[in-house]
Amino acid sequence: MKNKLLEIQNLRKNYHTQNGEIYAIDNISFNIENQEFVCIIGSSGCGKSTLLNILAELEEKSSGNIIKKENLKIGYMLQDDALFPWLTILDNALLGLVIENKKNKENIEYVISLLEKYGLKDFLNKYPSELSGGMRQRVALIRTLAIKPDILLLDEPFSALDYVSRLKVSEDVSKILKSEKKTALMITHDIAEAISLADRIIVLSKRPAKIKNIYKINIDGNSPLERRKSKLFSTYYDKLWKELDNDI
Amino acid sequence: MISNEQKKYLKSIKVKKFIIISIQLFIVFIFFALWEYLANKNIINTFVFSKPSKILDTIINLAINNNLFTHIFTTLYEVIIAFTLGIFLGLIVAIILYQFPIIAKIVDPFLTMINSLPKVALGPLIIIIAGANTKSIIIMALLINLIVSIITIYNGFINIDETKIKLMKSFKATKKQILIKLVIPSSYKTIISSLKLNISMSLIGVIMGEFLVSKAGIGYLIIYGTQVFNLSLVMTGILILVIISFILYKLVTFIENKLIKKF
């Protein structure tokens, strides 16, 4: 495997609280390859978010190895768009660059071009309160893309949206990630969403999270909506549903 | 084009506003007229309650002897210094407490203690330490407004949306960047509304300080008037104080609205 971006080996994570120790993640190993879209699904509270936080270096791992490709740059997209209400859309999208002291002409132009390309041209100088939920989520994605990450970690990025916007935004995100040739690792508890987006789906058990199964998704159809129409879609859905069903 | 209904609506708002202000002015007028009338009829004791015409005389007298404005400016000067110091020190201390949570935990009970202590009790001590001068008055006012400012601003800081902090951390922001780019801007409203609280507190503190030690100021007028049993002077002082505090409060509210409208 020459295109491996990320290799996770025997990852474990325990939390210490006054009431005792909680085992969140137990011995997880998997790889992520370049330009792959991997989804992790599992019941809520199974430690999915913890896994993402560890990969984004927001939390420490307890043991195991995370081998990253040299100079691997990670972008993190949260559940909530977390746009700053006092900044314009453009300034919000530039936030990551400002923090990294990389706000130069070239990068600003790149961000503007992204915003223009993905339907936010007329909103550069507007404030987040003037945008719909779907648009805000798109700005949040562009804010993540602005720092030119090699891999994006997406933490249930659509869960705050209503159903219709959800379908639309996942369509947008899939299109954006494909055309920008990005690798993505997304966690979700929505089986249909995972099948419509992912190349591979990793199913986690309930806490402490272990890998139950990994599915390779082979559905023709380029976009999430096309995939949802495919006959294979319901086959995968049944399989994954059975995997998760035992946990509830 | 504005529709007729919209015009009617806008007009009804204006009319309502006009009626409210008229009634308010009327109440003030009636208050003074009744006061004057009852005093002239000897129904209320003018020695204790004075009367509007006498208060007006006192104000004119004070103005002619060139004292009135000295007193007003002395009080205003003290209030403004205490207010400015309170805001800046409050902000700085709140930032320190936020940046070093361990310090915040340590000082928490002490802050609560000082906050619940009636600060006037410290008055005599302050005079002995700082001397019988303006410094004491400002320290008094600062004691009263500072703790409140610190607590208000600090509470604004710690109530910031956790996901925004997570976002900043995911970009590997430093503590200083989180403070400058996120914590301070998002507490903007809290900081502004602490101004309002602060101006009232500063005024209370200054008057209290002037009661204890002063050679000029509205508080001095009131306490001096009491000592020589010139209650017209006391009433004059109170009236001027009401006007000053009303104007200061309106001024801060005006500034607040101007600053908050930006978002």
Side-chain angles (χ1 to χ4, degrees):
Chain A
M1 286 201 236
K2 51 188 188 293
N3 272 328
K4 218 184 296 172
L5 283 189
L6 199 60
E7 192 174 351
I8 295 155
Q9 296 170 338
N10 308 94
L11 188 73
R12 274 176 219 273
K13 172 76 185 175
N14 315 333
Y15 284 105
H16 300 278
T17 70
Q18 280 178 334
N19 298 324
E21 213 170 350
I22 295 167
Y23 298 92
I25 295 173
D26 186 20
N27 205 9
I28 282 184
S29 307
F30 64 91
N31 302 328
I32 294 174
E33 281 164 54
N34 198 16
Q35 292 191 37
E36 200 183 13
F37 198 123
V38 180
C39 269
I40 297 177
I41 61 172
S43 52
S44 47
C46 77
K48 306 183 294 269
S49 293
T50 309
L51 178 61
L52 227 53
N53 284 343
I54 292 171
L55 294 179
E57 293 168 14
L58 296 174
E59 283 183 51
E60 297 275 329
K61 59 178 191 266
S62 299
S63 70
N65 289 317
I66 297 170
I67 303 162
K68 290 173 185 163
K69 201 180 143 191
E70 228 175 302
N71 297 324
L72 184 80
K73 185 140 193 176
I74 292 174
Y76 195 176
M77 186 174 168
L78 306 158
Q79 218 170 95
D80 190 289
D81 57 59
L83 296 178
F84 292 180
W86 59 89
L87 293 180
T88 61
I89 295 309
L90 179 59
D91 285 334
N92 263 299
L94 290 169
L95 184 71
L97 291 168
V98 171
I99 292 169
E100 294 184 347
N101 287 321
K102 283 184 192 157
K103 189 183 162 185
N104 53 38
K105 209 176 154 206
E106 190 196 328
N107 284 329
I108 294 174
E109 271 167 13
Y110 172 64
V111 172
I112 292 177
S113 76
L114 283 176
L115 287 167
E116 286 179 347
K117 201 161 145 195
Y118 300 113
L120 294 157
K121 192 178 180 180
D122 300 329
F123 296 92
L124 292 183
N125 296 313
K126 293 266 183 348
Y127 288 89
S129 57
E130 298 168 81
L131 270 63
S132 69
M135 287 167 115
R136 292 169 64 113
Q137 212 58 14
R138 248 182 289 160
V139 178
L141 177 63
I142 291 168
R143 178 181 59 198
T144 313
L145 290 173
I147 58 168
K148 297 185 178 158
D150 303 303
I151 178 166
L152 276 99
L153 306 177
L154 309 158
D155 184 355
E156 305 201 25
F158 316 124
S159 62
L161 302 170
D162 62 82
Y163 188 71
V164 176
S165 327
R166 219 176 152 129
L167 291 180
K168 274 180 94 173
V169 177
S170 70
E171 195 80 7
D172 288 341
V173 166
S174 153
K175 197 174 81 190
I176 295 171
L177 292 181
K178 273 207 183 101
S179 69
E180 305 298 323
K181 295 193 165 51
K182 296 293 179 193
T183 311
L185 175 64
M186 181 171 104
I187 60 175
T188 176
H189 55 254
D190 185 330
I191 299 172
E193 198 169 271
I195 303 168
S196 70
L197 284 163
D199 301 316
R200 226 161 17 120
I201 297 179
I202 298 171
V203 185
L204 294 186
S205 69
K206 61 185 174 195
R207 213 168 62 198
K210 285 182 201 162
I211 293 183
K212 273 180 115 174
N213 223 329
I214 298 181
Y215 288 89
K216 214 163 164 55
I217 306 295
N218 283 313
I219 304 185
D220 27 292
N222 283 323
S223 78
L225 277 179
E226 276 177 43
R227 279 186 169 200
R228 279 174 194 263
K229 288 176 197 152
S230 158
K231 274 180 194 149
L232 280 168
F233 189 83
S234 52
T235 320
Y236 281 116
Y237 195 97
D238 280 345
K239 277 191 201 163
L240 287 162
W241 171 249
K242 274 177 196 139
E243 292 273 359
L244 287 179
D245 195 26
N246 300 328
D247 283 348
I248 298 165
Chain B
M1 270 298 281
I2 304 169
S3 72
N4 274 337
E5 277 163 46
Q6 175 74 3
K7 264 185 207 160
K8 240 185 214 166
Y9 170 74
L10 289 176
K11 206 181 167 195
S12 78
I13 289 180
K14 264 188 196 159
V15 169
K16 227 181 236 167
K17 211 174 171 186
F18 178 75
I19 291 174
I20 289 172
I21 291 177
S22 308
I23 294 177
Q24 285 169 334
L25 288 173
F26 184 69
I27 290 173
V28 173
F29 173 76
I30 285 292
F31 175 76
F32 284 110
L34 205 63
W35 186 0
E36 182 77 26
Y37 175 79
L38 293 174
N40 286 338
K41 289 278 173 199
N42 277 327
I43 297 172
I44 58 171
N45 187 348
T46 48
F47 177 73
V48 177
F49 294 106
S50 189
K51 62 180 185 178
S53 56
K54 249 168 121 182
I55 291 174
L56 198 64
D57 280 344
T58 317
I59 293 178
I60 291 167
N61 257 331
L62 278 172
I64 290 170
N65 297 337
N66 220 3
N67 265 335
L68 180 66
F69 296 106
T70 325
H71 291 301
I72 293 178
F73 285 129
T74 307
T75 298
L76 274 180
Y77 167 78
E78 289 158 354
V79 168
I80 287 166
I81 297 225
F83 173 76
T84 322
L85 278 176
I87 284 294
F88 277 107
L89 291 176
L91 196 58
I92 290 169
V93 175
I95 287 173
I96 292 172
L97 293 184
Y98 180 78
Q99 291 294 70
F100 305 100
I102 188 85
I103 296 182
K105 276 218 172 98
I106 292 169
V107 301
D108 179 60
F110 303 114
L111 270 182
T112 317
M113 241 185 266
I114 300 172
N115 192 31
S116 46
L117 173 82
K119 262 65 80 180
V120 222
L122 299 175
L125 194 65
I126 296 170
I127 295 167
I128 292 169
I129 295 170
N133 51 38
T134 317
K135 233 189 331 190
S136 284
I137 298 173
I138 289 169
I139 292 174
M140 185 83 232
L142 207 53
L143 264 180
I144 293 180
N145 73 23
L146 188 57
I147 305 292
V148 178
S149 297
I150 292 172
I151 293 175
T152 319
I153 298 173
Y154 176 67
N155 275 331
F157 284 177
I158 56 173
N159 281 323
I160 282 166
D161 189 3
E162 277 299 322
T163 53
K164 293 201 171 77
I165 293 176
K166 194 172 170 189
L167 172 81
M168 294 294 281
K169 283 185 180 158
S170 80
F171 284 128
K172 309 265 176 292
T174 60
K175 263 191 139 184
K176 196 175 144 204
Q177 282 176 320
I178 294 178
L179 181 75
I180 294 171
K181 303 259 179 255
L182 170 63
V183 175
I184 292 179
S186 73
S187 313
Y188 188 75
K189 274 187 192 164
T190 321
I191 295 171
I192 300 289
S193 50
S194 83
L195 296 180
K196 222 153 131 183
L197 213 57
N198 197 305
I199 197 80
S200 324
M201 292 294 162
S202 301
L203 206 58
I204 294 173
V206 163
I207 297 300
M208 250 180 212
E210 285 181 352
F211 278 1
L212 292 170
V213 45
S214 64
K215 293 183 194 72
I218 309 295
Y220 166 81
L221 275 188
I222 294 172
I223 213 80
Y224 175 77
T226 320
Q227 280 159 359
V228 299
F229 277 95
N230 180 355
L231 290 179
S232 286
L233 192 61
V234 176
M235 283 298 182
T236 307
I238 294 172
L239 198 68
I240 293 174
L241 200 56
V242 169
I243 296 168
I244 288 182
S245 51
F246 183 72
I247 292 174
L248 284 178
Y249 188 81
K250 281 283 164 193
L251 199 69
V252 172
T253 314
F254 175 75
I255 295 171
E256 181 181 332
N257 287 339
K258 274 271 134 107
L259 289 175
I260 283 179
K261 244 178 207 161
K262 269 170 61 184
F263 303 121

